[in-house]
Amino acid sequence: MENHNEKVTFQNCLKRLLRVTYRDDVSSKTDINVLIDELIALDYAQKFVDEEDANKLIQHVCRIIPVFEEQISVKACQIIHSLTAKQQLSMEEQVLWSATEFLVKAIQRISHWATAEILQTLGAVVYENVDRLSQFHEVLLGPQGVLFPLIMENTTSEEILKGAVQCVENLTFRVSSKEYMDDQYAALCFQTLLELLHRVPIANMESGSRCKILICSLRGIQNLLTATKIMPSENLGPLLAGIRAFMFHGLPGAPISVPDSLYPTPLSQYDPSPTNSARSELQANDETSAKSGGGKKYKKKKAKKGAESTRNTTAKSSQDKDDENDEADSSRSREAVSFRPNWAKISSSESEYSDTEGGQSSQLRSLHAKVRQCALACLHTTIKNINKRVIFGYWSSFIPDSNAAGNSPQVHTLFTVILKDPSPKCRMGALAALTALVDGTKTLLATADDSDQKSTAFVPFSAILGSTIRELHRCLLLALVSENIPLTLTQLIKCISTLIANVPYSRMRTGLLSRVVKQIRNFISYRDPNVRVACLTCLGAVAAIQPPLMEVCHIIRPTRPPSHASVSRDTDHLNVDSGINSGSRSNCSPNTEAGILEETKESPNLSPRMGTPMESSSGTQTPVFSDVTLQAHARNVSWLVKLCVRNILPYPGENGEQHVEPLPVRLESLQVLAHLSKGYFPIIRNSLSILQDLILRCFADQDQVVRLHTSKLVDDLTQALQREIQSSELTDSSGRLSLQQVTNFWISLLNGAIADILQTEGHCAVKATTCDCVSNIGPEVYAALPMDKQVLCITLILGLTSEEDKIVRSSALRTVGVFVLFPCLREDVCFVADAANAILTSMEDTCLNVRFKTAWSLANLCDSLVLNKIEGDDDFMSDFSDMLLQKLFTTSIKACQDNDKVKSNAVRAVGNILRYLPIRSLGKSSFRTFVEEGVKALIKNISSGTMKLRWNACYAVSNMFKNTLLNFGGASWTRDLMMALCAVVKDCKNFKVRINAALALGSPSERSHYGDSRLFTFVWENLFIAFETSEDITDFAEFKYRNSLNSQICTSILHLVTLLQAMDLDLLHHLFLQKSQVISVHFDRFRTSPQESNSELESDLIKARDHLLTLLSGHLNEDQRSALCLLQQVCRIDENLNEEERIPEKTAFKQIYD
């Protein structure tokens, strides 16, 4: 009713005001004043004004009131502010322009007494409207505009400065997908706000105004960074200096002045002991802060036991457990107290503040916290916008690198806020900034080394990084002990997860992960589901660590609860392991000082000793999910598997109803199981029957997201099972699963779950991922399946190749490409023909990804043809249709002109078909034409395209040369092919391409395949040049392939020696004389290369030497004999070369298609 009255009054005033026009007389001014006063008197806290009426009023007021009438103009500003800021009404574009023009003129002409109020109104008008005010950018944000002169003038009052900065901040706010200000204005805003960060702290102004100006400045900079993504390198240091100073604004002992800049430096060691001067300065700052808080002196008294004292006491006790002497403990205790704000050290009853003073103090503390919060948000945005390598240089300014640095009062880092800031929002902001700082630094932290080292004068950078990582873990665990706000706790655990994902634990001392998991296990039954999800994410990060670590194996292996654990059969469905709290989920941290100290004493080095097996454990004693299968395997089931199973499946609640965990908890639990399956399957292999039952029940879940994550779990699990079966290192005594166990697992899935999903599932992503799972079945398991299951797999997969959804088609075609290489299927002409027809159809697909997967399957199918030929399967070759082979050939040649992703597999297919072609096919003229087209396609792709395409094309040529039925020497394309290979082997920057080109040049099995003597000599010459150019490395990434390249060139040259004829020596003699030194150096290196086995090397050298001896026994001239003698010296066998002389080296190259 009250709103209705206000609305009626507003509309009456509006009607009367619309009839008024301004005249320079007392009556007119009085009427306008009265009406505006009535409008101002209304209560705008409740919304009652229509947007149409508001626009009419603003438009009329801006039109009739001249700006030189200061009093009326100021009242008009009050109305505009009430309508835009309090009623939150949006203005039409014309009204917005009129209001902005009116306010700009008012600032320019009205006296300074009213400027602050006009600026407040202008700030409300321009908020979220920067895209619609492009014509006002110059007058507002230009160097000579209305705002920046007010900000830069030293004589500007606090209120005017605050209003001007607020306007700039509001103008920097960008509405998504809308236009923004030009870069010149954005740069000017950034520079002005940055200067304010350095100027305001030393300015003589009231604390509240200073805080509000800093808040606006920091928000404005954050808006600019978010909107423009620009960060001039020269401004990064000054910006970080300002942000770092204001991260601690209002905290006792915080730096008062702002340094000019921060500089990127390596992480530095800090002085662990604070000097006397530093302590006295800290005390002086405390006293100053106390005096400024209320203006009266008071005595420091012991604080009451509240939430804040609990936080600090708990944090202090957790710190005590990590130190080994009482002196360090007492020092840190004093320091923890000194960092607590003075307002937290006294109770309200003991304070000498009056109510008014207490309210002012509380408001000031709130403003200080807001400054810190804005500084941390600005830091977070800055980190997100800066290259990780650049911001890594500033780590030492925000992260401590040693225990001493983290505990020293003169060193302020992000952990000062995380551990000691009373504001949960500030702690959360610091954790978000730290998370962004650590995220994506895996390659930068890869050099960290935390191994035990003796004290030396020089501390290597790797050791400093290792110390920093250890300190990060220590401080975050301290925060985990003391934090009790769910939102902040969630962010804290996410930060720990990010740290785990980026740290090279293989180079760190053991114990870090054990301590993390021990603390995380205290929160896995937390009442807030967001905290539980964060805990599961953290455990998943531990399970995802690669390479696998023994410490992680100890953490996740099966354990037994301690003797004091009370377990009953009635609560089995709630308790998963000793580390999971039984009963109702608590919202408070379960840690206590005594418990922490007791656990530390139990295992000082590896704390805790997770996974230590205990005698006399049984399935009924171990608290597990109430399931018969799980109970039977409880002794061998990891606590982490039990936890995930409990989270995923429903269990009986208190009232007998089925309780289901929130969806994010279930999904994250499935993700943890996927990580375990992928990286640590040997630890959970005994849980296969449990996982099998879990998968079947989850596939029947009504939620498609659960089914999708289940299919991803099956994908990782089946890959692990395939590795288990195919691994030659595992033995039955090592506990590996038998082929029959894995086969039974697959039979259970194929009996219903997978078949139903592939036939009836409506969610395409679930169907596609399940299709990928089927490709992991493996040839051994597939051969062991019953015939009906084999037929079911083939029928389902071939049927899905014509599915409507492109993602499903891609997955099905990839699975066909896997199946076609199974020995029992590649010998089946009918299946190969069906697969070929499905592939030929899909190669015409309009979707690039489908064609890419189809081309990969096409190349695999052609691989299977070659394998059948190599194994002498004449029945298959005679039964396989020439017509189908011709279609495959023409499709492959056509695909060589497609996208590079498709071409890289198409050239594989062409090379395989050229190698497979039987004599009956080559007798047909159509095939001879296709052979020429196929070779031309390979030549083109050898010379151009992506590097992957080029080395696949070179390898395809080496494949082709193995078919001796092709007329290499007499073909017109032989010369072009050799020229292309020679050009690549000596000049290509990518060494993998050159290696495969050298392999191709050494592949023809007959001398006639190289053409005449001139072409043969040309091949020799380019291989010698390739020796020389292999030393010219422009890209360091190619260095690891240099030895492989030289070895392949030497192998190809030895092959050429075995094909050498006397008539070739005349042209080669001069070439050998010119390159003899180069040849000798590289062959000496080749003979001692550890990459070549003794048997292979000696076999090649013996063949070459025997052929040279045969040539020497014939009729030769002097030049020919001289050339042969040079080659004999090169091909000598060093009898005294022992295996011990070969220094082991590593190579990253494998001669195979990529």
Side-chain angles (χ1 to χ4, degrees), residues 313-331:
T313 303
T314 310
K316 184 181 70 176
S317 66
S318 180
Q319 287 177 339
D320 291 345
K321 78 183 180 70
D322 286 331
D323 295 321
E324 299 178 357
N325 56 73
D326 296 335
E327 182 178 351
D329 293 346
S330 60
S331 172

Side-chain angles (χ1 to χ4, degrees), residues 633-806:
H633 292 81
R635 190 180 314 199
N636 298 319
V637 176
S638 164
W639 65 270
L640 190 51
V641 174
K642 300 172 191 174
L643 169 66
C644 293
V645 170
R646 187 203 69 175
N647 287 337
I648 296 167
L649 298 179
Y651 56 84
E654 296 179 357
N655 300 326
E657 299 178 355
Q658 292 291 314
H659 177 79
V660 182
E661 290 284 352
L663 183 60
V665 176
R666 301 179 70 197
L667 299 183
E668 202 61 45
S669 298
L670 286 167
Q671 187 66 37
V672 172
L673 290 176
H675 287 311
L676 287 173
S677 302
K678 189 174 184 178
Y680 295 90
F681 180 74
I683 307 298
I684 66 167
R685 65 157 65 95
N686 290 331
S687 307
L688 182 61
S689 59
I690 299 171
L691 295 177
Q692 175 182 320
D693 179 64
L694 173 71
I695 289 166
L696 292 175
R697 294 176 68 175
C698 287
F699 268 144
D701 197 280
Q702 296 298 316
D703 196 314
Q704 62 185 18
V705 182
V706 173
R707 297 198 300 274
L708 175 60
H709 279 72
T710 304
S711 62
K712 292 179 179 178
L713 166 60
V714 175
D715 191 14
D716 288 327
L717 179 60
T718 51
Q719 288 183 47
L721 291 173
Q722 187 178 3
R723 290 192 298 269
E724 181 99 348
I725 294 299
Q726 295 177 348
S727 176
S728 59
E729 299 176 358
L730 295 176
T731 60
D732 293 338
S733 61
S734 65
R736 69 180 292 179
L737 296 172
S738 65
L739 177 61
Q740 187 58 47
Q741 287 177 292
V742 180
T743 303
N744 291 338
F745 172 81
W746 272 106
I747 291 174
S748 68
L749 293 184
L750 293 171
N751 273 335
I754 287 183
D756 290 342
I757 287 177
L758 294 182
Q759 293 179 85
T760 62
E761 176 63 49
H763 193 259
C764 296
V766 177
K767 187 181 290 187
T769 309
T770 308
C771 197
D772 290 333
C773 297
V774 176
S775 69
N776 299 329
I777 196 168
E780 297 85 2
V781 175
Y782 183 85
L785 288 175
M787 182 57 66
D788 61 326
K789 295 298 182 287
Q790 293 184 4
V791 173
L792 175 66
C793 290
I794 295 173
T795 305
L796 290 174
I797 297 303
L798 287 176
L800 290 175
T801 58
S802 57
E803 183 77 8
E804 291 182 4
D805 186 77
K806 59 185 178 183

Side-chain angles (χ1 to χ4, degrees), residues 845-859:
D845 202 290
T846 56
C847 177
L848 173 61
N849 192 53
V850 173
R851 296 201 308 277
F852 167 57
K853 295 292 182 65
T854 306
W856 182 82
S857 297
L858 173 61

Side-chain angles (χ1 to χ4, degrees), residues 112-341:
H112 283 301
W113 68 271
T115 303
E117 195 159 1
I118 300 171
L119 287 170
Q120 185 182 22
T121 305
L122 179 62
V125 168
V126 301
Y127 183 67
E128 292 188 346
N129 286 317
V130 65
D131 57 307
R132 300 198 290 168
L133 294 172
S134 55
Q135 68 268 41
F136 292 96
H137 286 172
E138 179 63 30
V139 71
L140 290 172
L141 300 174
Q144 305 302 321
V146 296
L147 295 177
F148 290 140
L150 294 175
I151 294 175
M152 302 311 295
E153 288 178 3
N154 293 326
T155 58
T156 303
S157 69
E158 295 177 13
E159 292 300 320
I160 293 178
L161 178 59
K162 185 169 58 177
V165 177
Q166 179 73 63
C167 287
V168 174
E169 181 212 333
N170 289 354
L171 281 166
T172 60
F173 187 84
R174 180 177 192 173
V175 182
S176 59
S177 72
K178 297 292 180 66
E179 294 183 3
Y180 199 59
M181 65 180 76
D182 293 341
D183 289 345
Q184 58 174 337
Y185 301 121
L188 190 57
C189 290
F190 184 89
Q191 193 63 42
T192 303
L193 295 175
L194 182 57
E195 290 178 8
L196 274 177
L197 292 184
H198 291 259
R199 194 183 83 192
V200 169
I202 60 175
N204 184 19
M205 63 175 64
E206 191 264 331
S207 297
S209 297
R210 178 184 288 110
C211 289
K212 291 177 181 178
I213 293 171
L214 291 174
I215 290 169
C216 292
S217 300
L218 290 165
R219 280 177 174 172
I221 291 174
Q222 183 183 0
N223 291 340
L224 287 167
L225 292 174
T226 303
T228 62
K229 308 294 183 185
I230 59 170
M231 169 55 70
S233 56
E234 65 273 9
N235 288 329
L236 180 58
L239 174 61
L240 292 178
I243 290 174
R244 187 181 182 278
F246 298 123
M247 281 166 34
F248 318 108
H249 189 74
L251 294 178
I256 299 175
S257 62
V258 180
D260 293 336
S261 180
L262 292 183
Y263 298 97
T265 57
L267 300 175
S268 57
Q269 297 286 353
Y270 294 101
D271 180 10
S273 58
T275 61
N276 293 331
S277 61
R279 297 192 183 192
S280 61
E281 181 183 352
L282 184 61
Q283 293 173 359
N285 288 337
D286 286 346
E287 293 174 1
T288 303
S289 177
K291 292 177 182 179
S292 62
K296 293 186 180 181
K297 296 182 180 179
Y298 60 88
K299 296 181 180 180
K300 297 182 180 178
K301 299 182 180 181
K302 185 177 179 180
K304 285 188 176 181
K305 293 182 179 179
E308 180 60 28
S309 63
T310 302
R311 268 180 40 76
N312 287 277
T313 303
T314 310
K316 184 181 70 176
S317 66
S318 180
Q319 287 177 339
D320 291 345
K321 78 183 180 70
D322 286 331
D323 295 321
E324 299 178 357
N325 56 73
D326 296 335
E327 182 178 351
D329 293 346
S330 60
S331 172
R332 191 159 45 255
S333 300
R334 291 192 301 270
E335 159 210 329
V337 173
S338 70
F339 267 112
R340 291 181 59 204

Side-chain angles (χ1 to χ4, degrees), residues 481-502:
V481 169
S482 60
E483 188 56 67
N484 55 13
I485 304 298
L487 283 176
T488 312
L489 188 59
T490 302
Q491 184 63 54
L492 173 58
I493 299 174
K494 287 180 180 179
C495 183
I496 296 174
S497 304
T498 304
L499 179 65
I500 291 172
N502 287 276

